[in-house]
Amino acid sequence: MTLVNIISAIGNNSSVYPLIVRDCGIEVPTKIALTYNQNKKESKDIAYLAARERFLDEYATSAVWLGGIPLVGWACDKFIKAKGLNPKVNLKLFKEEVGVQGIEYNIKKFKETAPDAVKDLLKAKENKKLYEKLLAGKFAASTAIPILFMGFILPKMVFASSAKKIAEQRQKEQQQQINFVQKDKFISFTGGNWITKAANFSAQDKMAVTDGGYAVGRVVTARNKNETYDIAFKMAGMMFLNFVAPKWIEKVLNKLTGVELDPIILADKNFVSQIKDNTLKLPKSSDAKDLLEFVDNINNKDTLFIKYAKKFGKITMLDNGVRDPRAYVDIKNLAKFRNDLENFAKKALTGGEKLFKNARVAKSANILTNIGLSSFLLAYALPKAQFAFRKLITGSDLEPGLAPANKNV
């Protein structure tokens, strides 16, 4: 994979790649170090336990978060296929968009060019209620199982592990220099439209929903009142900085530089030459009919517009070059992509070849800046804000769940 491909992948804020980079590569190691240093101010023993808890908690959560959701989704898809239905059929197609797309419209339009996909549409149409139930079950399983593990089971396991370590320390330390929280506190617990929306959640969308449930679970399983406040503050900040802030930062940076296109497109020599030769083929307008007429014209299957619209998930194509009739097309998203290409092409006609290089550098810098800034906010700024909040409500630097009882009054 080239540097441009890597930058492109981590710059796609609708995918999991930026989350992997920020979460596993930057955020978690930094948080572990900060947690140790913060607790070390009052107790090295608690600092060790707090860092250990953070390590186990964060990496186990990341494993479920990044791998568990897709795995459960895959298993559910296998089950749906065993029922004779294809999970690729988008439920949004049941709401007909006259003259544009819809299950009836697509069945008629693609019955000759994509007969196998049309069979899937017909089966979904004939078994709509069952299909909706299966997709609802898939969504529930893909989110509920990770939430149950991350929000309820994992903290109980980590707390119990810490309790065991504390017991071991007590045996080694004849003098009870630190009055830990009693062991039992470590292991006790103090149709329709939504289905259509949920069935079309991306992996990142499911992660956001899972994070919400995971946050609730962590608050519920907190070991005392102060830990409840501490965790609630942290989880609210994490959700905002993981799922909202990067997209806001991306919009601001794109506006400042005036570059919307992905660096992979900007580095494509064919894209450069087609703009120079004025041979870049695009839909004649951003109107829904013009967009889909262009996409569905088999003569356009090798155009750069189709190539990159497919690559960045704006359309789904079958192997024979025909648009997949089972997939729903987000017209607004596709129209923006078309307009971004056209606007850049107009600028390039007067800006010359230097514009391509400057735009590629600017967009790559935007992506790296976004990753760097959002990682800094997650890995350093948020923990520091959490520590300040903790100090304010508890009067101590220690982890509320591990602090001596008199620190958690």
Side-chain angles (χ1 to χ4, degrees):
M1 180 178 280
T2 65
L3 180 61
V4 171
N5 290 98
I6 294 172
I7 293 174
S8 171
I10 64 174
N12 183 0
N13 282 309
S14 295
S15 74
V16 300
Y17 296 113
L19 297 173
I20 294 173
V21 172
R22 289 197 303 264
D23 190 65
C24 298
I26 301 173
E27 180 190 350
V28 175
T30 305
K31 282 183 175 179
I32 292 171
L34 288 174
T35 296
Y36 181 82
N37 290 333
Q38 184 70 14
N39 285 270
K40 188 176 66 173
K41 296 175 183 178
E42 294 190 33
S43 169
K44 286 187 176 181
D45 289 328
I46 290 183
Y48 162 74
L49 286 172
R52 180 178 177 276
E53 277 197 355
R54 180 58 63 92
F55 176 87
L56 294 173
D57 185 17
E58 296 285 355
Y59 278 114
T61 297
S62 295
V64 176
W65 202 47
L66 297 170
I69 294 172
L71 180 61
V72 175
W74 173 84
C76 290
D77 283 347
K78 296 284 282 185
F79 180 77
I80 292 171
K81 288 178 181 178
K83 294 291 184 180
L85 296 164
N86 194 321
K88 289 183 179 180
V89 177
N90 195 305
L91 282 179
K92 287 183 178 180
L93 294 174
F94 282 98
K95 185 177 180 180
E96 296 286 333
E97 296 177 17
V98 181
V100 178
Q101 60 184 332
I103 197 157
E104 295 288 355
Y105 181 85
N106 285 9
I107 287 171
K108 292 177 182 177
K109 182 173 182 177
F110 293 96
K111 64 181 179 180
E112 300 296 335
T113 55
D116 290 337
V118 167
K119 287 179 183 177
D120 292 333
L121 290 175
L122 288 167
K123 287 180 181 178
K125 177 187 171 185
E126 293 166 1
N127 300 277
K128 183 183 176 184
K129 289 186 178 180
L130 172 62
Y131 188 53
E132 285 181 338
K133 288 179 180 178
L134 289 171
L135 288 184
K138 175 184 175 181
F139 172 74
S142 298
T143 53
I145 293 174
I147 286 171
L148 179 63
F149 180 80
M150 294 190 297
F152 296 91
I153 297 174
L154 179 59
K156 186 176 179 181
M157 291 170 63
V158 172
F159 296 163
S161 177
S162 292
K164 183 179 179 181
K165 286 291 180 183
I166 290 172
E168 290 174 358
Q169 285 184 6
R170 283 175 174 168
Q171 291 176 1
K172 291 179 181 178
E173 299 174 2
Q174 297 299 323
Q175 296 179 352
Q176 293 191 359
Q177 298 174 348
I178 301 175
N179 182 24
F180 285 102
V181 181
Q182 291 182 355
K183 185 176 179 180
D184 59 356
K185 290 189 178 180
F186 282 86
I187 58 175
S188 64
F189 286 90
T190 46
N193 190 47
W194 76 268
I195 297 176
T196 301
K197 292 180 179 178
N200 290 287
F201 277 6
S202 66
Q204 194 193 54
D205 292 331
K206 290 176 183 175
M207 286 178 180
V209 173
T210 302
D211 244 22
Y214 156 48
V216 172
R218 289 307 173 88
V219 170
V220 170
T221 57
R223 290 167 283 196
N224 53 60
K225 183 174 66 175
N226 284 339
E227 188 173 47
T228 297
Y229 299 145
D230 192 60
I231 290 174
F233 183 91
K234 179 185 77 170
M235 295 304 298
M238 281 179 61
M239 290 189 67
F240 175 77
L241 293 176
N242 261 323
F243 301 106
V244 180
K247 293 181 180 180
W248 286 5
I249 295 169
E250 180 184 26
K251 287 181 180 179
V252 171
L253 292 174
N254 286 350
K255 190 171 184 179
L256 289 173
T257 59
V259 183
E260 294 280 349
L261 298 180
D262 191 276
I264 285 181
I265 301 175
L266 297 169
D268 190 322
K269 293 180 180 178
N270 288 329
F271 180 61
V272 176
S273 63
Q274 286 182 21
I275 288 181
K276 285 181 179 179
D277 301 338
N278 199 25
T279 57
L280 180 65
K281 291 184 68 176
L282 297 173
K284 60 184 179 181
S285 79
S286 56
D287 179 76
K289 290 185 178 181
D290 288 338
L291 288 168
L292 294 187
E293 184 178 294
F294 184 92
V295 172
D296 293 338
N297 185 338
I298 199 68
N299 295 323
N300 295 328
K301 68 175 184 176
D302 295 322
T303 61
L304 289 177
F305 178 79
I306 299 293
K307 174 184 176 181
Y308 286 113
K310 181 172 67 173
K311 179 176 178 60
F312 295 113
K314 302 176 191 305
I315 55 175
T316 304
M317 307 295 286
L318 299 173
D319 293 338
N320 63 358
V322 175
R323 176 165 61 92
D324 191 339
R326 299 165 299 190
Y328 179 83
V329 179
D330 186 331
I331 298 297
K332 185 178 179 180
N333 195 9
L334 186 61
K336 182 183 183 304
F337 179 63
R338 181 255 175 215
N339 292 340
D340 288 342
L341 287 169
E342 183 182 61
N343 292 337
F344 184 83
K346 289 177 179 178
K347 290 180 184 178
L349 288 175
T350 56
E353 191 166 335
K354 190 176 181 181
L355 178 68
F356 288 95
K357 182 179 179 181
N358 290 343
R360 188 167 67 249
V361 170
K363 184 63 177 181
S364 298
N366 284 357
I367 291 171
L368 296 176
T369 299
N370 195 343
I371 288 291
L373 180 56
S374 56
S375 295
F376 169 79
L377 293 172
L378 271 166
Y380 186 82
L382 177 59
K384 285 293 186 180
Q386 181 188 356
F387 297 155
F389 176 75
R390 177 188 301 167
K391 185 80 171 181
L392 178 66
I393 63 170
T394 70
S396 171
D397 291 311
L398 298 176
E399 294 284 324
L402 293 171
N406 64 337
K407 294 281 188 180
N408 280 310
V409 178

